[in-house]
Amino acid sequence: MTPETIEGYGVRLRPCHLADVPEMVAGCADPETRRFMPLLPDPYDSDAARWWITEGAPAAWAAGGAAYTIADPASDLLLGSIGLTRLSAERATYEIGYWVGPAARGRGVASAATRLLTERAFAAGAARLELLTRTENVASQRIALACGYRHEGVRRAAGADGDGVRQDLIAWVRLADDPPGPIARLLPDLPDGRLTDGVVTLRPVEPADTDALYRLHSLPEVVANRVPPVVPQRAALARRCRLAASRWLAGEAADLAILDTATGAVVGGCALFYDEPATGQAMIGYSLLPEARGRGLAARTVRLVAGWAFGIGVARLWAGTRPDNVASQRVLERAGFRREGLSRGRLPGPDGARVDSVVYGRLATDES
């Protein structure tokens, strides 16, 4: 890589220069930038910006990487920054990273710059590019998918915040011979961000749902059907709510809050787990708070999720219930599922025991 100006997709990538200092300070001092780049100098002032331009960026180039200003092609004003860090010369592996200032967000600038630098890196001989995102940086994860980077897994404690606390990072990777274009998602976004039949509404789980879901999953009858059947720690539920959007993007699970449409209150939870993408099979689970039971909301929820799942290409949905959970079995039957059999000792029970599971299934070709 050499520090040449390149343009494409509506952005310009050029070497940093001292005229960038005001915009660089404004961008790097912004709370949202600092949230996901906690190791930036604090406070970030003009001295820090000048150091990067005169020493940091040249050092990145000298080490075999790249350090570009993302600029507006018309005005040449800084919109953000993007660069490469060489991880292994022998393996031709690099890490790509970027930030975009507040005024440029929501305009596709980061995606355009990432796409442009990705193409440049591969043309210069890179074989593998890694984009590491914090688990809660959903916007950056969407950028990775849009630019053809595939979810490869979680790097445990690979990052750190300003206090030295270790943080997990998600690895998104693109190879030189990967096909161009966005990655097709197993679990696309819900249409208009939610599903509803006018009585019940489903939307993605959010961090603010922690209290309601902790209350739900602490109920004895709900705990009995958890795997394992123990009351979750509140911190674990809070983490699940924080990471729900990330797991959805990775295609692992669609974690949904069930709302009473009339009041907007969270009355339960539902999740679709894409447990066998190769066969087109997904599993559904659900539960309601006591005050919402007996009103048909669970069956409505299952029907809504099933309709969406079959619409995105799932071929078969299945669910399992304990043999004594007659209420849940009736919900599944009302939602068009058929009883298929008994899996003996499938689930862990209390005190090391094993519990049978009654299996229900519904195919995309079944009549609703």
Side-chain angles (χ1 to χ4, degrees):
M1 296 286 293
T2 55
E4 302 167 352
T5 297
I6 53 177
E7 290 193 22
Y9 307 111
V11 296
R12 172 180 296 159
L13 303 187
R14 60 163 173 76
C16 312
H17 52 62
L18 289 172
D20 293 331
V21 168
E23 287 79 18
M24 187 172 292
V25 171
C28 290
D30 175 69
E32 190 67 9
T33 303
R34 301 199 62 83
R35 179 184 171 200
F36 297 117
M37 300 180 67
L39 300 183
L40 286 171
D42 188 17
Y44 198 96
D45 55 20
S46 57
D47 287 340
R50 280 192 290 269
W51 178 89
W52 172 253
I53 293 167
T54 61
E55 297 186 44
W61 288 105
Y68 281 109
T69 284
I70 307 171
D72 183 317
S75 66
D76 202 43
L77 285 177
L78 178 146
L79 303 175
S81 180
I82 191 167
L84 295 171
T85 300
R86 185 163 66 178
L87 302 178
S88 171
E90 294 78 13
R91 299 185 182 93
T93 300
Y94 296 78
E95 179 184 343
I96 189 169
Y98 51 81
W99 63 265
V100 171
R105 292 175 192 154
R107 294 163 42 189
V109 169
S111 295
T114 300
R115 190 174 294 116
L116 184 59
L117 185 53
T118 295
E119 292 176 359
R120 174 72 170 180
F122 286 142
R128 172 185 167 94
L129 297 181
E130 299 183 1
L131 197 165
L132 302 181
T133 70
R134 292 170 71 94
T135 54
E136 294 155 67
N137 191 349
V138 175
S140 196
Q141 293 165 36
R142 289 184 178 275
I143 290 168
L145 288 166
C147 294
Y149 286 72
R150 302 185 184 210
H151 181 269
E152 194 167 84
V154 175
R155 300 268 180 88
R156 295 187 303 142
D161 62 20
D163 298 322
V165 178
R166 305 302 300 182
Q167 302 285 340
D168 292 347
L169 297 177
I170 301 176
W172 305 85
V173 174
R174 183 163 175 183
L175 306 181
D177 57 357
D178 280 345
I183 298 298
R185 288 171 52 188
L186 285 175
L187 297 171
D189 294 333
L190 299 179
D192 301 320
R194 57 188 54 217
L195 302 172
T196 186
D197 63 1
V199 176
V200 68
T201 296
L202 310 178
R203 61 154 173 78
V205 162
E206 302 169 351
D209 297 324
T210 297
D211 287 341
L213 293 185
Y214 181 66
R215 178 187 164 211
L216 174 68
H217 288 278
S218 299
L219 295 169
E221 65 273 23
V222 176
V223 171
N225 292 282
R226 286 179 54 86
V227 179
V230 297
V231 177
Q233 295 182 348
R234 190 184 185 285
L237 252 298
R239 175 178 170 80
R240 170 178 165 178
C241 292
R242 288 198 312 272
L243 302 187
S246 178
R247 295 182 67 210
W248 194 310
L249 288 174
E252 298 171 5
D255 213 347
L256 298 157
I258 305 173
L259 280 62
D260 183 325
T261 302
T263 65
V266 175
V267 296
C270 179
L272 180 80
F273 300 92
Y274 217 141
D275 59 334
E276 285 190 13
T279 64
Q281 175 179 278
M283 180 184 75
I284 188 171
Y286 50 87
S287 50
L288 290 175
L289 288 165
E291 61 267 27
R293 297 171 189 165
R295 297 161 49 193
L297 301 186
R300 287 176 178 273
T301 293
V302 174
R303 281 194 288 266
L304 281 170
V305 174
W308 173 70
F310 293 142
I312 64 172
V314 173
R316 167 182 157 80
L317 278 175
W318 74 277
T321 79
R322 292 166 60 99
D324 59 355
N325 192 350
V326 176
S328 189
Q329 294 167 27
R330 288 175 177 167
V331 165
L332 292 168
E333 290 165 358
R334 286 198 295 270
F337 283 67
R338 301 180 189 179
R339 179 171 176 145
E340 295 182 342
L342 183 74
S343 292
R344 294 184 303 127
R346 177 179 171 271
L347 302 174
D351 303 321
R354 302 296 300 183
V355 178
D356 296 343
S357 177
V358 181
V359 178
Y360 280 78
R362 181 175 166 184
L363 305 181
T365 53
D366 287 345
E367 294 184 7
S368 59

